[in-house]
Amino acid sequence: MNVYKIEAGTAQHIGNRAEQTNRTALFTGARSPGYMMAVLADGVSGGSAAADQALLTAKQQFDLFKPGDAPSIERLQGLLRDIVLETHTVLKLNALTSKSEPHSTFVGLIITPKGTAVWAHVGDSRLYRFVRAECVVRTSDVPYIEHLVGTDKLPLEAARNHRHSKLLFNVLGNSRKEPFVAVGHHENLAAGDTFLLASDGLWHFFTDSELGAVTSKNTPRQASELLINKAVERAQGKGGNCTMAIVKLVKPPKEVPNYTVERMRRAV
């Protein structure tokens, strides 16, 4: 197994909005030692209520998760799907007793102690996987479009102009349809792998290569500061909420040989 340590962090900027409706967090599981989860949710409507619920459900479900000796990739993806569907159900129930219908995107990432990453996403928030500076995975709405075309719910002409199609309103909390959850995974993680979870207020202003260069050359904290500052600059006062979570795998520090420690002690 490849040896690495995890450096991770989250960051937000309110942009030109009156309220921060994005939420992001990093979790460790109460019953799953060595596992970690990163979650990002973008409250599309109804303020931050939907995004808050997404993170609350993720934390609750992850704390209840008992992985056993070797959980399958399908089981881990099932956990992320359960988080999405449970959040979706709660949001619909809450909408029945209120005059608003809060919606949210979702991106979730699980990293196991055996070097496997599993992710799921709904909506226009994004997950990226970089190998050093190269972008090898970027989630998109393509799987959702293919799903709609394949089930005859989206005409081919509308698919060609999918950014203007109202059928692509794929979010948690939509009372008119269930969310479509796209999943992915990668095994044999190694130092040099980096994951970025980003709201549209961030990724909209950068190319894949720019994001890869910044995250590969900096710590998560340094990278988030650089990206937020540049996003604010490029938005020119018109940017929305800007939110991210960065999970970076790096080489662990080399252990100092015992004889070196002994020499150091003698020198002191």
Side-chain angles (χ1 to χ4, degrees), residues 156-188:
L156 285 174
E157 186 59 34
R160 295 189 184 97
N161 300 289
H162 64 272
R163 293 188 181 279
H164 306 291
S165 173
K166 294 181 180 179
L167 289 171
L168 284 177
F169 193 50
N170 184 33
V171 291
L172 285 63
N174 187 346
S175 62
R176 291 168 291 282
K177 61 182 177 180
E178 297 295 292
F180 176 82
V181 187
V183 296
H185 73 277
H186 179 73
E187 300 177 87
N188 300 316

